[in-house]
Amino acid sequence: MSTQRIRITKRYSFELAHALYAHDGGCAQVHGHSYVLEVTLLGVPREEPGHPKNGMVMDFADLKAIVNKEVIGRYDHALLLSEQHRETIGTLGSPFAKVLFVPWQPTCENMVLDIVVRIGTQLPTGVSLLAVRLHETATSYAEWNAHDAI
């Protein structure tokens, strides 16, 4: 039986608008991004001949189901705002039906931390979350790595 650990990564994309409360630049205004999310897992490939998941750390389809439920379904085509914006927004009509208020500043960095918790709690035994990278633009991203965690 092999004990070699393998990293697997899957990439996703979603569209999201946000505004940064009290920011001193253009990001204080509602604006959107085409986010690219990369999720990297670490584990030992299954060695069970005849098992449908033989040779896999985790089936990419199973990872996709978790990410779709926990991240894409939540964030895609939403407006993400800090709770501090709630009073200024008021009640908006149907074009604003998917407004998410969070208790943190909706920066790329904080979104990564939220995604780590959402995905990390859903992984099967023996598979660990190694890294999450969220590209906000083509040239900017935030990244969490398990080796850096405090």
Side-chain angles (χ1 to χ4, degrees):
M1 176 179 274
S2 173
T3 57
Q4 295 293 317
R5 295 187 307 169
I6 300 292
R7 296 176 187 192
I8 63 168
T9 301
K10 186 151 179 64
R11 183 177 293 143
Y12 309 86
S13 62
F14 59 94
E15 308 297 323
L16 175 77
H18 69 154
L20 302 183
Y21 184 82
H23 186 263
D24 60 356
C27 292
Q29 303 302 313
V30 173
H31 62 286
H33 298 284
S34 295
Y35 287 90
V36 175
L37 172 66
E38 295 175 7
V39 175
T40 301
L41 305 179
L42 181 67
V44 176
R46 180 187 296 262
E47 287 195 19
E48 295 180 46
H51 190 283
K53 311 293 185 188
N54 185 45
M56 298 178 183
V57 169
M58 182 175 181
D59 191 325
F60 285 118
D62 295 339
L63 177 57
K64 180 179 180 182
I66 291 170
V67 173
N68 280 342
K69 177 181 177 235
E70 297 296 328
V71 179
I72 308 302
R74 172 178 171 77
Y75 286 138
D76 192 38
H77 287 85
L79 171 58
L80 186 65
L81 299 171
S82 167
E83 283 286 347
Q84 294 169 302
H85 273 118
R86 189 179 292 272
E87 289 181 21
T88 61
I89 296 300
T91 304
L92 301 173
S94 69
F96 298 96
K98 196 171 179 182
V99 178
L100 305 175
F101 292 98
V102 292
W104 34 267
Q105 181 79 306
T107 62
C108 190
E109 295 89 336
N110 284 332
M111 287 176 61
V112 166
L113 293 174
D114 183 61
I115 291 167
V116 165
V117 171
R118 290 176 178 284
I119 295 172
T121 59
Q122 301 299 314
L123 297 175
T125 303
V127 176
S128 59
L129 186 59
L130 182 63
V132 172
R133 179 181 286 183
L134 182 61
H135 295 259
E136 188 171 82
T137 69
T139 60
S140 303
Y141 65 86
E143 181 175 29
W144 174 90
N145 190 295
H147 299 300
D148 300 332
I150 299 173

